[in-house]
Amino acid sequence: MNFKRFLRRIGTPAAIGSSLRPLLTWPFLLLAAVIVALTLAGMRYTFHQQKDKEIARFQAIADLKVSQIAAWFEERHGDAQLLHGSRFLADLYQRWRSAGDPAIRDPRSAIRDPRSAIREQLRQWLDEHRQVDRYQNALLFDEQGEPALMAIDAPLRVTPELRATVQRAIAEGRVLNTGLYRSGDDPGMLSLDFVAPLPALSGQAGPAVVLRVDPKAALYPMIQSWPFPSASAETVLFRHDGDQALFLSPLRHQPDAALQLRLPVAESRLLAAQILRGDVAPDSVVEGVDYRQASAMGVGKAIPGTDWFLLAKLDRNELYAPALRDRSEERRVGKEC
């Protein structure tokens, strides 16, 4: 074959390189695509692992919190239940009332007036019970639901919540509680009262003992404690209040939110609203936004014996931060190698 004709057939070296370049580029593009796909798959797997790990941890924390709060609540109810059956205390009250002590309608003068030995015996009994079980106060209400005596001389505001609960407990003859409510004009004055009607004597309704709990002293520290350092994790207590979610405990980013912050149950992505609406199954993961409208996820549970719900939540940014750090460290090590 003529050499010049052969060169004309296969072309010049530059032409040969141009014709082969697409064939040489495709394998590299394919390899790059495979590497990107594997990297994304690895990141997705890492994120899923981190999410599953945090969900398991949050479920364990929520279970622990719920069991602690339920046990604490049941113990308070049990204290009131013991008083409910105290015929000794009911008899002591009847003897006091029969004595015609005019101070029965004035709790403060009833405590200070030393003339009535029976009244002082009642007051001491209330105070001893308050101290042993660490209540903020113990109060005695007469059979009409009016305050008659208290263990500690302190200003007393008989709120509609308290009055209605006392009257209902006496009428129904069973232990009731007020739920968490604001017991004073100060937004920080919060109470939870357990009402124990005493046994009826001579066919007449008896009085009732009110055991007052300061939630800031016992309940809220239990809710707010967290087992490991975190920038956003918190436990939230809330309940249904008409068409709103009423937050019952202080919040990490809103310390004064207890019994003041209300958000619409109709808000579609609100974590608490999803739980109240029943959009998520009990004990399952809920994702959306928290009370700050921050993207978050958590686990919600009902508190047995109450109308309360508990939510253990974490910001999504913090959730995936460990996975992002791990991937960054892997890339750094890979470059150094």
Side-chain angles (χ1 to χ4, degrees), residues 54-66:
E54 290 299 330
I55 288 172
R57 182 154 58 171
F58 267 67
Q59 286 174 331
I61 292 172
D63 285 339
L64 176 62
K65 296 283 186 183
V66 167

Side-chain angles (χ1 to χ4, degrees), residues 20-34:
L20 292 178
R21 190 173 295 116
L23 297 177
L24 295 175
T25 302
W26 276 108
F28 287 106
L29 292 176
L30 181 60
L31 178 61
V34 170

Side-chain angles (χ1 to χ4, degrees), residues 85-326:
S86 177
R87 297 190 67 84
F88 165 77
L89 191 58
D91 180 66
L92 194 61
Y93 171 80
Q94 292 288 2
R95 287 164 52 199
W96 179 38
R97 187 182 68 172
S98 298
D101 190 338
I104 190 170
R105 293 292 183 181
D106 187 346
R108 285 171 291 183
S109 63
I111 291 174
R112 290 193 294 267
D113 188 347
R115 292 174 299 173
S116 174
I118 298 177
R119 183 179 63 234
E120 184 59 21
Q121 187 178 355
L122 273 170
R123 191 203 66 79
Q124 288 180 358
W125 190 95
L126 289 171
D127 194 44
E128 288 174 2
H129 193 83
R130 177 194 67 82
Q131 293 183 57
V132 168
D133 295 312
R134 298 181 180 179
Y135 287 98
Q136 183 183 27
N137 209 344
L139 309 98
L140 184 65
F141 280 65
D142 67 18
E143 52 268 47
Q144 280 76 45
E146 297 294 337
L149 194 62
M150 62 181 74
I152 297 178
D153 184 10
L156 176 64
R157 176 187 175 191
V158 183
T159 62
E161 294 92 342
L162 176 57
R163 188 181 300 278
T165 304
V166 170
Q167 292 175 346
R168 182 179 161 211
I170 292 173
E172 298 180 6
R174 64 190 182 99
V175 173
L176 297 174
N177 70 84
T178 58
L180 288 163
Y181 73 102
R182 190 172 296 114
S183 54
D185 295 328
D186 185 342
M189 293 181 64
L190 309 176
S191 294
L192 169 61
D193 295 335
F194 290 82
V195 182
L198 298 180
L201 296 176
S202 304
Q204 297 179 346
V209 175
V210 173
L211 300 176
R212 171 154 293 183
V213 175
D214 179 4
K216 297 189 295 296
L219 179 61
Y220 290 163
M222 188 189 314
I223 295 171
Q224 293 174 305
S225 64
W226 198 259
F228 57 87
S230 171
S232 66
E234 63 180 318
T235 308
V236 178
L237 198 66
F238 59 96
R239 68 171 174 83
H240 228 299
D241 186 28
D243 60 355
Q244 296 179 318
L246 173 62
F247 290 80
L248 304 175
S249 60
L251 302 174
R252 181 167 191 159
H253 302 280
Q254 295 187 32
D256 298 327
L259 298 178
Q260 296 195 78
L261 178 63
R262 288 176 167 84
L263 295 175
V265 173
E267 190 170 337
S268 60
R269 300 193 64 232
L270 183 68
L271 300 178
Q274 293 183 59
I275 294 169
L276 292 177
R277 290 196 306 266
D279 293 352
V280 292
D283 303 339
S284 61
V285 179
V286 57
E287 300 186 56
V289 296
D290 69 0
Y291 56 90
R292 302 167 295 150
Q293 294 298 308
S295 181
M297 61 153 287
V299 175
K301 292 178 178 289
I303 307 290
T306 74
D307 60 354
W308 303 346
F309 289 86
L310 179 139
L311 170 68
K313 58 160 285 289
L314 181 75
D315 286 1
R316 289 181 67 89
N317 288 341
E318 185 176 356
L319 169 69
Y320 293 124
L324 291 172
R325 285 195 301 268
D326 291 344

